[in-house]
Amino acid sequence: MSNLAAGSHCDLAIIGAGAAGLAAAIFAGEAAQRSDLRRIVLLDGAKTLGAKILVSGGGRCNVTHDEVSPTDFFGNRRIIKNVLAAFSVEETLQWFTSMGVELKREETGKLFPVSDKSRTVLNALVDRCRRLGVTVCPDHRVRTIEQGRGAEAGFRIHHAHGTLLAKKVILATGGRSIPKSGSDGFGYELARRLGHQVTPTVPALVPLVLDDRIFHKTLSGLSQEVELTTTVNGKTVDVRTGSLLWTHFGISGPVVMDASRFFCQARGQDEPVAVYANFLPGQTQEQVRQWFMEQAQDHPRRSLGKTLAQLFPERFADAIIQHAGCEGQTASAQLPRKDRDHLIVMLTKFPFPIVKDRGWNYAEVTAGGVPLEEINFRTMESKLVPGLYFVGEILDCDGRIGGFNFQWAWTTGRLAGRSAMNVL
Ligand code: FDA
């Protein structure tokens, strides 16, 4: 790892050595062999590189997904589609193989390194950068970027140890999630000062905190399949089915994380937002009512608790019965109609009393960022500032859980790295 001498210069400076910056550096380094631009410098504010890659996928790094489509992302899907087309999953797998990282597919379609260790991925990326002659500089936080004027084209980059002159710059500073990793949102400020807009940023892929007065604590650790519906101003904006995890603070799990961006965006804009669960995905209230009536007829003396335990884990059955104001011991045939109807609503349209999201320290990504409309999707170059490129999470695009955010980082990194070297 290098320390830059005062007043150094380079052809390409990449700011941020996360997934997108490392990918950009590698593709630029490879393209440099065929380009008259040669010197590439990768700067990062963190003392040790790759914090986020290391924690990703529960320490296993979910590198990508076996099927990637624009609908796995939020943002301008027309542009996202064009970007994704530049680097297929097949090519991504080959790229990792070429760096000595074999990937395996899990049942869910997620791809992980065979080693099950994020470290394998991080080491391969950093080693490849070094071998390609990229100057890698941790502990070089960038404070300002000035555009050169007149004869002095390019950029002046003021970092923790001095100034670097660069003909071109790739901004790969990530978003705001896990600020202590170094991605604290300052990159947006750098983008703004260079003339770019930044759409409002809110946490995405984040767990949600529930009102302490409900039962979530008693269910902590329990997972169940649910259908989540998010409404904003009474209008449905998202419906998805998947696994919900009850926790000591509220709700998490893939379906909650994926839906959280809609909740956070609405809250960020002070719009009334509600998230409902159907704990019997695919079943309508009418179907559930029918089932209850059949149960009451066939097993009139069976308790409500036992009746519901046929459909749900006992802990959940007990909690929801109590929450609905019913008695678990009541014989199913004796359940007053009003109580039964209320219980059915609780089972099929349960309104989560969400207090807040869990915040940037727990969010996996950022929704919002530099608008894709300000970027040339063929090159990732800014339409406003020639020679400036954007890659990864700093852009206004966020993917759902499953390896999609890394795929976005690799793909945008590849496009920018190659085009900054004038090789496409
Ligand atoms: P990233 O944030 O990774 O890197 C930005 C870099 O820029 C940082 O190293 C930072 O230090 C540096 N930087 C910032 N400002 C700077 C400045 N002013 N000067 C110099 N350097 C600066 N995705 C996925 O696809 N599969 C997964 O398994 C997971 N798992 C996961 C788990 C957890 C806990 C989190 C938090 C996130 C994930 N993700 C994920 C999301 C994924 O990690 C994320 O989308 C990418 O890391 C984004 O890559 P970037 O390179 O754009 O930003």
Side-chain angles (χ1 to χ4, degrees):
M1 304 286 172
S2 314
N3 234 333
L4 288 178
S8 336
H9 58 91
C10 66
D11 293 309
L12 172 64
I14 300 164
I15 302 171
L22 285 164
I26 292 168
F27 285 108
E30 285 171 359
Q33 326 287 328
R34 291 174 280 148
S35 165
D36 51 352
L37 301 171
R38 288 277 188 274
R39 181 142 198 247
I40 302 164
V41 176
L42 177 58
L43 305 166
D44 200 290
K47 285 202 166 71
T48 48
L49 298 185
K52 225 177 255 184
I53 293 177
L54 289 179
V55 297
S56 70
R60 298 197 301 135
C61 189
N62 175 197
V63 172
T64 185
H65 198 277
D66 72 345
E67 273 179 47
V68 175
S69 105
T71 54
D72 297 312
F73 296 84
F74 304 100
N76 183 327
R77 290 221 172 108
R78 185 186 56 79
I79 300 179
I80 292 169
K81 182 175 174 214
N82 283 304
V83 171
L84 293 175
F87 198 33
S88 67
V89 175
E90 200 50 49
E91 289 170 305
T92 308
L93 297 193
Q94 285 163 11
W95 182 53
F96 275 99
T97 306
S98 78
M99 292 188 286
V101 182
E102 293 299 330
L103 299 177
K104 60 172 177 182
R105 180 191 180 280
E106 300 207 332
E107 245 175 54
T108 52
K110 294 179 181 179
L111 289 151
F112 290 90
V114 169
S115 67
D116 272 334
K117 290 194 175 74
S118 307
R119 175 66 68 184
T120 314
V121 175
L122 177 62
N123 287 354
L125 293 166
V126 176
D127 285 354
R128 175 62 69 91
C129 278
R130 283 219 203 87
R131 250 180 250 167
L132 288 165
V134 174
T135 308
V136 183
C137 307
D139 193 23
H140 278 63
R141 184 161 169 93
V142 170
R143 294 176 179 144
T144 55
I145 305 172
E146 286 164 27
Q147 243 184 301
R149 285 199 191 89
E152 194 199 301
F155 301 87
R156 290 177 86 82
I157 299 162
H158 301 283
H159 55 77
H161 303 284
T163 302
L164 171 68
L165 303 180
K167 289 186 187 145
K168 298 184 178 182
V169 168
I170 297 179
L171 213 46
T173 44
R176 293 186 198 279
S177 62
I178 323 278
K180 66 174 186 290
S181 71
S183 313
D184 56 3
F186 187 66
Y188 299 123
E189 193 48 41
L190 294 173
R192 255 192 221 104
R193 288 187 204 158
L194 287 161
H196 277 273
Q197 304 206 38
V198 178
T199 62
T201 52
V202 293
L205 301 185
V206 66
L208 300 173
V209 178
L210 297 184
D211 186 328
D212 240 4
R213 284 166 295 187
I214 78 149
F215 52 78
H216 52 275
K217 277 198 182 82
T218 64
L219 302 183
S220 186
L222 184 78
S223 282
Q224 66 191 112
E225 196 76 356
V226 304
E227 181 184 280
L228 279 196
T229 301
T230 308
T231 64
V232 178
N233 282 315
K235 220 177 113 203
T236 299
V237 294
D238 185 58
V239 181
R240 57 185 65 240
T241 301
S243 177
L244 172 144
L245 172 69
W246 296 97
T247 73
H248 64 285
F249 59 81
I251 46 174
S252 187
V255 74
V256 173
M257 304 277 274
D258 282 339
S260 63
R261 69 179 308 287
F262 296 100
F263 172 83
C264 295
Q265 270 184 339
R267 273 278 164 100
Q269 288 160 12
D270 273 337
E271 291 186 294
V273 54
V275 181
Y276 299 97
N278 181 351
F279 295 111
L280 292 163
Q283 301 280 314
T284 62
Q285 293 194 350
E286 205 32 60
Q287 286 167 322
V288 180
R289 183 171 295 113
Q290 198 60 42
W291 181 83
F292 263 106
M293 279 161 42
E294 280 163 21
Q295 290 294 311
Q297 207 165 33
D298 298 349
H299 311 281
R301 277 191 271 178
R302 186 179 278 164
S303 71
L304 184 55
K306 287 228 165 76
T307 304
L308 276 198
Q310 297 176 93
L311 299 178
F312 303 106
E314 221 167 288
R315 265 200 296 164
F316 175 79
D318 290 347
I320 199 87
I321 288 169
Q322 215 186 345
H323 186 79
C326 302
E327 269 291 332
Q329 299 309 317
T330 309
S332 56
Q334 304 298 318
L335 186 66
R337 188 172 158 182
K338 189 165 72 53
D339 289 359
R340 185 196 62 200
D341 287 349
H342 183 54
L343 184 59
I344 289 170
V345 172
M346 290 297 102
L347 289 173
T348 53
K349 201 180 175 196
F350 181 85
F352 285 109
I354 303 171
V355 179
K356 57 180 181 181
D357 65 81
R358 226 178 166 214
W360 290 113
N361 287 335
Y362 295 92
E364 290 198 4
V365 289
T366 309
V370 174
L372 295 178
E373 294 77 6
E374 294 183 358
I375 310 296
N376 175 346
F377 63 76
R378 290 189 184 83
T379 59
M380 304 316 290
E381 187 172 11
S382 159
K383 288 181 183 170
L384 314 178
V385 184
L388 175 68
Y389 299 76
F390 289 90
V391 295
E393 199 175 315
I394 191 173
L395 290 160
D396 183 3
C397 168
D398 53 296
R400 66 181 182 91
I401 269 187
F404 302 100
N405 287 295
F406 276 142
Q407 184 63 37
W408 177 253
W410 316 135
T411 305
T412 51
R414 181 179 194 258
L415 279 170
R418 290 165 67 128
S419 57
M421 290 284 118
N422 300 329
V423 177
L424 267 177

